[in-house]
């Protein structure tokens, strides 16, 4: 059932609800089990649990029913098995990198990864004796050139944020596997509905479940799943040892959110395509980036990766720099100006003052990220409402740009 959520309110299988009280295993909704500590029948029974011969839990930091239930649902969507749910997307990335790599190993990462992933590769892994190289994931030759004999992991995202460029996943997977390294794909942006990472050569898939999967900006959670069960065990032990554990309540909330994920994704995607067209027709809009638009610079590669599932993210640039950007936001008071993505409602962010404020203006210019550059995480609102908001926002930005000219 790859790419699909299982029947939203069915327990996956009563046997896959270990740890829930017997009477709650057939509950229509997933029960919430906040206990930290589990009793067991005795030393032999504990051996059986620790050695994998019996289902069960011991201590919530090492795993608990709500994390297991949520992981099984995301496994079904990704076409994976034995995935691990952790306390945030960064916890998932940390568990993958530190659970698998050792000092002396080398990691290659896309140079437009999520900001904290970049920081981990630039600063934290080298501090621990794991060397790293960043390269452009849109150019497989530069990734291949960065790979060394001691490279253990190559980590990329499918569509870059907020520049919405496509990674050359097929060639990167080939170069990674030829070197005996593992390809880690952060599928947060594209989601399993847009991109089936294992089918495109991923050895490990990671998610910030915080974003589209949970979908309501009310939990932080992550997920990691390897093809190889020994790697999943390593990730699970990193979770337990480094204390990257997800809260049962957050898992329970995310599972509730996941029940409507497919509906939310489809609606948001439809809105994003329509809003991209609308923006392109507004005065003062210099360019619109949406993976499904005919003028997208990576059109053919996007279609090869995503088929027709182009997602909910739109970026655009207006003339007039910071003054126009301020006017745009001020003219849309009902549209949350907030640097996040994947909420059920539309949010607007300004990379130059949020996600990419650490770069120099020249560094941002290289990425095409001027003061007039915005990113929209499109939600499920009535599209007419969104059109009205952005008509007003673009008109105000255009007026500000002309006043300054
Ligand atoms: C948000 C995000 C992360 C980090 O996830 P958290 O849940 O905030 O820790 C990682 N990768 C991508 C692509 C993200 O958007």
């Amino acid at each position: 059932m790859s790419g699909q959520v299982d029947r939203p309110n069915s327990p996956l299988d009563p046997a896959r609800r270990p740890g829930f009280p017997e009477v709650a295993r057939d509950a229509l909704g997933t029960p919430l089990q906040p206990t930290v500590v589990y009793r067991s029948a005795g030393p032999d029974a504990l051996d059986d649990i620790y050695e994998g011969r019996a289902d069960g839990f011991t201590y919530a930091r090492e795993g608990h029913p709500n994390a297991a239930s949520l992981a099984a649902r995301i496994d079904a969507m990704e076409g994976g098995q034995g995935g691990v749910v952790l306390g945030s997307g960064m916890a998932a990335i940390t568990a993958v990198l530190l659970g698998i790599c050792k000092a002396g190993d080398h990691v290659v990462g896309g140079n437009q990864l999520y900001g904290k992933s970049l920081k981990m590769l630039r600063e934290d892994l080298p501090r621990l004796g794991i060397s790293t190289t960043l390269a452009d994931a849109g150019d497989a030759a530069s990734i291949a050139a960065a790979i060394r004999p001691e490279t253990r992991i190559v980590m990329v995202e499918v569509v870059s944020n907020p520049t919405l460029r496509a990674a050359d996943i097929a060639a990167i997977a080939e170069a990674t596997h030829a070197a005996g390294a593992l390809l880690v794909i952060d599928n947060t942006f594209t989601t399993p509905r847009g991109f089936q990472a294992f089918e495109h050569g991923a050895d490990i898939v990671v998610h910030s479940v915080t974003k589209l999967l949970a979908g309501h900006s009310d939990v932080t959670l992550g997920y990691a799943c390897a093809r190889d069960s020994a790697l999943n065990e390593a990730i699970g032990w990193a979770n337990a040892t480094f204390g990257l554990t997800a809260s049962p309540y957050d898992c329970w909330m995310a599972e509730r959110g996941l029940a409507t994920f497919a509906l939310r994704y489809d609606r948001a995607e439809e809105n994003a395509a329509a809003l991209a067209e609308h923006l392109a027709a507004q005065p003062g809009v210099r360019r619109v980036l949406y993976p499904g638009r005919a003028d997208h610079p990576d059109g053919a590669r996007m279609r090869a990766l995503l088929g027709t599932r182009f997602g909910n993210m739109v970026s655009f640039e207006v003339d007039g720099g910071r003054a126009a950007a301020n006017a745009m936001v001020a003219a849309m008071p009902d549209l949350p100006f907030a640097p996040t993505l994947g909420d059920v409602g539309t949010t607007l962010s300004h990379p130059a003052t949020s996600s990419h404020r650490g770069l120099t203006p020249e560094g941002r210019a290289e990425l095409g990220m001027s003061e007039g550059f915005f990113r929209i995480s499109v939600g499920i609102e009535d599209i007419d409402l969104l059109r009205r908001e952005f008509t007003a926002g673009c008109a105000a930005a255009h007026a500000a740009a002309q006043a300054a000219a």
Side-chain angles (χ1 to χ4, degrees):
M1 54 172 19
S2 74
Q4 297 293 320
V5 187
D6 60 290
R7 198 182 272 279
N9 267 336
S10 69
L12 292 150
D13 169 353
R16 286 161 89 177
R17 277 186 171 171
F20 291 113
E22 201 75 49
V23 292
R25 288 192 190 175
D26 290 325
L28 185 58
T30 301
L32 170 61
Q33 178 51 274
T35 193
V36 172
V37 184
Y38 291 79
R39 299 162 47 152
S40 65
D44 284 351
L46 213 45
D47 269 351
D48 288 343
I49 292 173
Y50 272 110
E51 286 159 24
R53 290 184 296 274
D55 282 330
F57 298 95
T58 55
Y59 189 69
R61 177 163 36 69
E62 300 183 356
H64 54 74
N66 287 98
S69 182
L70 176 61
R73 286 195 189 271
I74 304 175
D75 284 350
M77 297 164 71
E78 285 289 6
Q81 233 186 330
V84 181
V85 161
L86 307 95
S88 68
M90 285 316 301
I93 290 166
T94 300
V96 166
L97 294 170
L98 298 188
I100 293 173
C101 297
K102 61 182 189 312
D105 285 346
H106 175 245
V107 173
V108 175
N111 62 9
Q112 286 194 59
L113 289 172
Y114 179 71
K116 286 291 186 289
S117 301
L118 280 179
K119 179 186 175 293
M120 189 175 293
L121 264 60
R122 282 201 184 107
E123 298 172 24
D124 297 292
L125 294 186
R127 185 164 50 76
L128 301 172
I130 301 165
S131 58
T132 61
T133 308
L134 299 175
D136 180 2
D139 172 18
S142 75
I143 294 277
I147 293 175
R148 305 179 194 162
E150 65 274 23
T151 301
R152 183 78 173 115
I153 281 177
V154 174
M155 183 162 97
V156 296
E157 294 170 21
V158 184
V159 175
S160 62
N161 167 30
T163 51
L164 304 185
R165 299 298 299 265
D168 190 354
I169 298 288
I172 290 172
E174 202 182 312
T176 301
H177 294 148
L182 299 165
L183 178 60
V184 177
I185 293 189
D186 180 338
N187 202 20
T188 300
F189 235 62
T190 26
T191 84
R193 204 161 175 76
F195 184 74
Q196 288 283 292
F198 288 124
E199 288 175 12
H200 288 263
D203 299 292
I204 299 175
V205 178
V206 297
H207 275 284
S208 170
V209 177
T210 311
K211 312 288 169 56
L212 287 140
L213 294 180
H216 296 74
S217 301
D218 50 12
V219 299
T220 63
L221 284 174
Y223 165 88
C225 183
R227 253 182 211 292
D228 174 348
S229 64
L231 294 178
N232 276 335
E233 218 162 283
I235 294 165
W237 279 115
N239 176 47
T241 306
F242 300 139
L244 304 171
T245 314
S247 142
Y249 178 74
D250 282 359
C251 295
W252 180 77
M253 290 282 278
E255 202 173 324
R256 195 175 189 279
L258 212 55
T260 56
F261 164 69
L263 288 173
R264 287 186 282 105
Y265 193 77
D266 291 359
R267 170 65 174 251
E269 182 174 70
E270 192 182 308
N271 277 351
L275 186 59
E277 290 307 312
H278 183 70
L279 285 167
Q282 301 306 304
V285 172
R286 196 178 285 176
R287 65 192 172 110
V288 176
L289 276 165
Y290 180 64
R293 271 176 67 81
D295 64 355
H296 193 284
D298 300 331
R301 188 184 288 167
M302 281 291 187
R303 286 187 293 278
L305 293 172
L306 305 177
T308 58
R309 305 313 312 248
F310 298 116
N312 77 311
M313 303 299 294
V314 179
S315 293
F316 69 106
E317 185 178 14
V318 293
D319 292 326
R322 176 68 70 91
N326 282 330
M328 160 92 66
V329 175
M332 298 193 290
D334 291 337
L335 195 117
F337 177 62
T340 187
L341 69 102
D343 189 75
V344 69
T346 299
T347 53
L348 179 69
S349 74
H350 183 248
T353 49
S354 54
S355 56
H356 291 69
R357 68 174 300 128
L359 296 186
T360 60
E362 297 73 38
R364 284 192 294 269
E366 241 169 69
L367 295 172
M369 220 176 282
S370 70
E371 285 286 344
F373 187 83
F374 284 96
R375 185 196 72 181
I376 313 167
S377 171
V378 181
I380 67 166
E381 298 91 338
D382 184 333
I383 184 64
D384 289 333
L385 186 76
L386 293 177
R387 285 198 187 102
R388 277 202 300 279
E389 295 273 7
F390 280 93
T391 299
C394 291
H398 186 49
Q402 289 196 312

